[in-house]
Amino acid sequence: MKLTGDIRKIGTKRDDKFQDISLQINRIEYITNKKDGNYFQAFDLEVELEKPLIITGDRLAKKNIKPSEEGEILFDVYDKVGDAYVLNKNLELEIIVAHDMEEDLLILSSVYYAEMLPPKEFEAFKKEYEKTTAFKNRKGKKR
């Protein structure tokens, strides 16, 4: 995780002028809700990315929730479709930042990025992910 620029400048409305702000994300959590017996339960899969996902500030807008004292900020994430930006309600981004007064630095403490998937897509993704990680972790045949 890496932050470039002052992410606190981003307002509650998406704006093109924040393209210079970027956030690199190394971990994504995929979530789905499946019926387990009589009730729906959340199932998740956390994936560590080989190449970080980069989200620029022009794709972000703060949610209308006041930040807590710890520096927690929630964002709406937009997808860029051609020249238009479309709100993606299946993405969730939450960051925690701290401000060092002496050095006047913004320190990124944590990043939580999650994507909601329908149950069938989640199962297909999970199966494919497990297959690729098993292949990477497989050791050569012993003689």
Side-chain angles (χ1 to χ4, degrees), residues 12 21 26 50-52 65 68 71 88 111 114 119 125-127 140:
T12 56
I21 298 171
N26 298 337
E50 292 178 18
K51 185 179 175 186
I65 302 170
S68 66
N88 189 336
V111 175
F125 177 79
K126 185 176 178 181
K127 194 177 287 186

Side-chain angles (χ1 to χ4, degrees), residues 75-124:
F75 290 98
D76 286 326
V77 181
Y78 291 79
D79 290 331
K80 189 169 184 178
V81 181
D83 290 338
Y85 290 87
V86 179
L87 177 62
N88 189 336
K89 294 187 184 256
N90 293 326
L91 296 177
E92 182 180 333
L93 176 63
E94 176 184 317
I95 67 167
I96 298 176
V97 292
H99 187 258
D100 185 356
M101 298 291 189
E102 292 177 10
E103 298 289 325
D104 194 31
L105 288 174
L106 189 65
I107 301 166
L108 182 63
S109 300
S110 76
V111 175
Y112 174 75
Y113 186 75
E115 182 175 352
M116 293 290 295
L117 295 175
K120 288 183 180 181
E121 275 186 47
F122 180 82
E123 287 302 320

Side-chain angles (χ1 to χ4, degrees), residues 16-119:
D16 287 336
K17 69 181 180 183
F18 298 119
Q19 287 180 340
D20 58 335
I21 298 171
S22 69
L23 181 65
Q24 292 183 5
I25 299 170
N26 298 337
R27 182 178 297 140
I28 298 177
E29 184 173 7
Y30 293 95
I31 303 171
T32 192
N33 290 312
K34 292 191 291 188
K35 195 165 188 174
D36 187 22
N38 294 329
Y39 305 101
F40 281 94
Q41 287 188 330
F43 290 88
D44 66 335
L45 174 66
E46 202 169 283
V47 176
E48 192 77 29
L49 302 174
E50 292 178 18
K51 185 179 175 186
L53 172 68
I54 298 173
I55 297 178
T56 55
D58 62 328
R59 292 184 49 211
L60 299 175
K62 284 182 187 173
K63 290 192 177 184
N64 285 336
I65 302 170
K66 285 189 173 183
S68 66
E69 293 179 20
E70 297 90 35
E72 181 179 325
I73 308 170
L74 300 170
F75 290 98
D76 286 326
V77 181
Y78 291 79
D79 290 331
K80 189 169 184 178
V81 181
D83 290 338
Y85 290 87
V86 179
L87 177 62
N88 189 336
K89 294 187 184 256
N90 293 326
L91 296 177
E92 182 180 333
L93 176 63
E94 176 184 317
I95 67 167
I96 298 176
V97 292
H99 187 258
D100 185 356
M101 298 291 189
E102 292 177 10
E103 298 289 325
D104 194 31
L105 288 174
L106 189 65
I107 301 166
L108 182 63
S109 300
S110 76
V111 175
Y112 174 75
Y113 186 75
E115 182 175 352
M116 293 290 295
L117 295 175

